[in-house]
């Protein structure tokens, strides 16, 4: 996918080397397109010539390669030797050994070369960026080491960023057929099982809700990113075991097109699944579906009732809301103020601990590379390198976010993460105060992490829980009232 046609070299009639021209071949590329109804993507495919951008760019890159050929000769890594009479076997062995050494050096320098390419782009040095991209294409691999796999998607984002800007950016993104809903759900489930990030977020949020509702008889939970509804399975079971009997539970699930596609249908699937579970555990249950974009939710959609204790769950969703840097409406802060007006007893927040919202291109690239490098390394420890679904899991669950962060600007960039310090400020301005997490939540999650690598770490700081990989915080969880 990332390999470019090589310039092959063959001896001519007088024993000298001559260059065979490289002709563009037609290939099929697929691009993620923004859905008009949500921050998700739809995929379309088209045939194009050469790399994955425009013919003009191909012409430009071809001219660069011609200049490089004249001035420096062929790249030493692109030489194709035929071990015939022109070279004895010893020479061939030395050449192959030297080539292997150079390739090993290239792999070790991949991170540095990615940084150099992004730096060149930030300085508008397009010729240098194109040259680095040609080199990087020979170094990345979706089936290699963690940095090589991440590098493949980082490179895709760099190419798309260089090729386009503004509302047309999606046309340069990596075009690939969207998997069937059953396949996508399977990939999401694999990621959920091999990494504790989602379980950590759901368990910490559920712990705060269970603590806040321990004396309540009627509980209403509003989930702004219901997904598959998996978060609420353990909470329903916990409420069923509560001394004195379970409360009456009503869950309002808010949908988006990506979740609906992954489920293979609308919110009724989630509602029926949770209703059947609640019936099995003798928990009075009601489900309310809200099939609108999160940024368009109004209080009237939520059906808040007098006499119900309200819990609001923001798990991995608020970073999709545009803020003051994108829209004058500032949906991010508006949504928090609206929720505060509902007088919830507890509000849970789970977000990736990353700073990409308002950062300029180069620091945003660096933050993305460092954040996802830790995540890809953690996957590498848990999921065997030869796992047949590894590429699909990373491509469909992580790569699209990586490309969106690097390649897109303005409203097209829907992955806009903020550090917990910034979220604290937003919640404070909306009128919230911190809700302390129960020590039981901390100990429960520590027990969970014993099933994973000892490189995961859990820290409690200033009333919030942080899950990290080695020295990098990846997910933060806290509660408000």
């Amino acid at each position: 996918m990332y390999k470019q046609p090589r310039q092959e070299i063959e001896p001519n009639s007088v024993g000298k080397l001559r260059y065979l021209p490289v002709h563009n071949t037609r290939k099929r590329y697929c691009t993620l397109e923004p859905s008009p109804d949500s921050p998700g993507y739809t995929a379309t495919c088209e045939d194009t010539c050469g790399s994955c951008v425009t013919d003009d760019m191909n012409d430009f890159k071809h001219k660069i390669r011609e200049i490089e050929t004249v001035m420096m000769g062929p790249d030493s890594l692109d030489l194709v030797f035929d071990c015939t009479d022109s070279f004895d076997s010893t020479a061939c062995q030395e050449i192959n050994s030297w080539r292997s050494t150079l390739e090993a050096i290239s792999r070790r320098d991949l991170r540095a070369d990615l940084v150099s390419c992004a730096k060149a782009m930030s300085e508008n040095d397009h010729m240098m960026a194109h040259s680095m991209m040609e080199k990087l294409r020979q170094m990345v691999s979706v089936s290699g080491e963690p940095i090589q796999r991440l590098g493949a998607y980082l490179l895709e984002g760099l190419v798309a960023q260089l090729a386009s800007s503004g509302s047309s950016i999606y046309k340069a993104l990596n075009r690939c057929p969207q998997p069937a809903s059953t396949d996508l759900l399977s990939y999401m489930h694999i990621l959920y099982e091999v990494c504790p990030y989602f379980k950590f977020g759901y368990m910490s949020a559920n712990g705060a809700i269970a603590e806040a509702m321990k004396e309540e008889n009627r509980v209403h939970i509003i989930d702004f990113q219901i997904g598959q509804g998996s978060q609420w399975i353990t909470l329903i079971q916990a409420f069923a075991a509560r001394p004195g009997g379970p409360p009456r539970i009503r869950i309002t699930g808010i949908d988006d097109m990506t979740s609906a596609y992954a489920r293979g249908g609308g919110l009724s699937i989630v509602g029926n699944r949770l209703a059947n579970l609640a019936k099995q555990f003798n928990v009075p249950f009601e489900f309310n579906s809200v099939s609108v974009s999160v940024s368009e939710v109004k209080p009237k959609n939520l059906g808040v009732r007098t006499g119900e204790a309200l819990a609001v769950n923001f798990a991995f969703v608020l970073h999709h809301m545009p803020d003051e840097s994108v829209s004058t409406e500032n949906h991010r802060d508006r949504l928090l103020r609206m929720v505060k007006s509902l007088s919830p007893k507890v509000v849970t927040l789970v977000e990736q601990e990353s700073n990409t919202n308002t950062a300029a291109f180069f620091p945003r690239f660096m933050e993305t590379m460092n954040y996802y490098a830790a995540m890809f390394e953690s996957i590498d420890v848990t999921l065997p390198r030869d796992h047949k679904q590894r590429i699909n899991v990373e491509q469909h669950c992580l790569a699209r976010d990586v490309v969106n962060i690097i390649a897109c600007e303005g409203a097209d960039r829907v992955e806009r993460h903020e550090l917990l310090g910034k979220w604290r400020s937003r919640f404070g301005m909306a009128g919230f105060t911190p809700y302390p997490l129960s020590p039981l939540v901390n100990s429960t999650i520590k027990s969970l992490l014993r099933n994973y690598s000892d490189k995961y770490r859990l820290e409690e700081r200033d009333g919030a829980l942080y899950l990290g990989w080695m020295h990098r915080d990846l997910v933060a969880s806290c509660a408000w009232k």
Side-chain angles (χ1 to χ4, degrees), residues 339-355:
V339 168
K340 180 59 179 175
S341 71
L342 303 177
S343 301
K345 190 163 188 179
V346 65
V347 177
T348 53
L349 172 70
V350 182
E351 279 292 347
Q352 288 131 296
E353 184 68 355
S354 182
N355 185 21

Side-chain angles (χ1 to χ4, degrees), residues 15 130 166 183 203 227 244 255 269 340 362 370:
H130 280 301
D183 292 334
M203 287 179 65
D255 200 15
I269 295 175
K340 180 59 179 175
F362 184 68
N370 292 332

Side-chain angles (χ1 to χ4, degrees), residues 8 18 81 157 191 212 260 266 279 302 335 346 348 363 451 465-466:
E8 296 187 359
R18 66 183 178 88
F81 291 102
L191 183 63
K279 183 178 181 180
L302 303 176
L335 186 61
V346 65
T348 53
N451 300 320
L465 287 179
Y466 295 83

Side-chain angles (χ1 to χ4, degrees), residues 88-249:
D88 59 28
S89 60
T90 301
C92 281
Q93 291 175 0
E94 291 176 354
I95 290 169
N96 290 333
S97 176
W98 177 237
R99 177 174 179 165
S100 298
T101 300
L102 290 177
E103 289 176 342
I105 292 173
S106 294
R107 284 195 295 273
R108 285 202 301 271
D109 291 342
L110 174 55
R111 186 187 291 262
D113 286 345
L114 285 164
V115 172
S116 296
C117 184
K119 186 68 173 176
M121 290 177 56
S122 70
E123 296 173 350
N124 293 318
D125 188 347
H126 292 178
M127 181 171 289
M128 173 60 75
H130 280 301
S131 178
M132 293 300 301
M133 287 174 183
E134 290 297 315
K135 180 180 180 182
L136 287 167
R137 283 190 176 93
Q138 308 301 321
M139 300 164 66
V140 300
S141 169
V142 295
S143 59
E145 298 174 1
I147 189 59
Q148 289 178 299
R149 303 197 308 269
L150 174 59
Y153 305 123
L154 290 172
L155 176 58
E156 193 69 31
L158 290 171
V159 171
Q161 171 67 252
L162 190 61
S164 301
S165 62
S167 61
S168 63
I169 191 69
Y170 284 105
K171 295 180 181 179
L173 291 175
N174 177 37
R175 295 194 173 206
C176 54
Q178 200 167 11
S181 60
T182 53
D183 292 334
L184 180 57
L185 185 57
S186 174
Y187 305 150
M188 294 167 63
H189 179 72
I190 292 173
L191 183 63
Y192 179 86
E193 290 299 326
V194 301
C195 293
Y197 306 118
F198 298 105
K199 290 182 182 179
F200 159 78
Y202 295 159
M203 287 179 65
S204 58
N206 286 353
I209 294 172
E211 177 70 17
M213 302 298 177
K214 60 184 178 182
E215 304 294 338
E216 301 294 340
N217 293 321
R218 298 176 63 194
V219 175
H220 181 195
I221 300 171
I222 299 175
D223 188 350
F224 276 84
Q225 182 73 68
I226 189 73
Q228 314 304 318
S230 304
Q231 176 174 348
W232 309 117
I233 294 175
T234 55
L235 187 63
I236 290 174
Q237 293 172 337
F239 276 139
R242 195 176 73 172
R248 177 176 295 275
I249 301 174

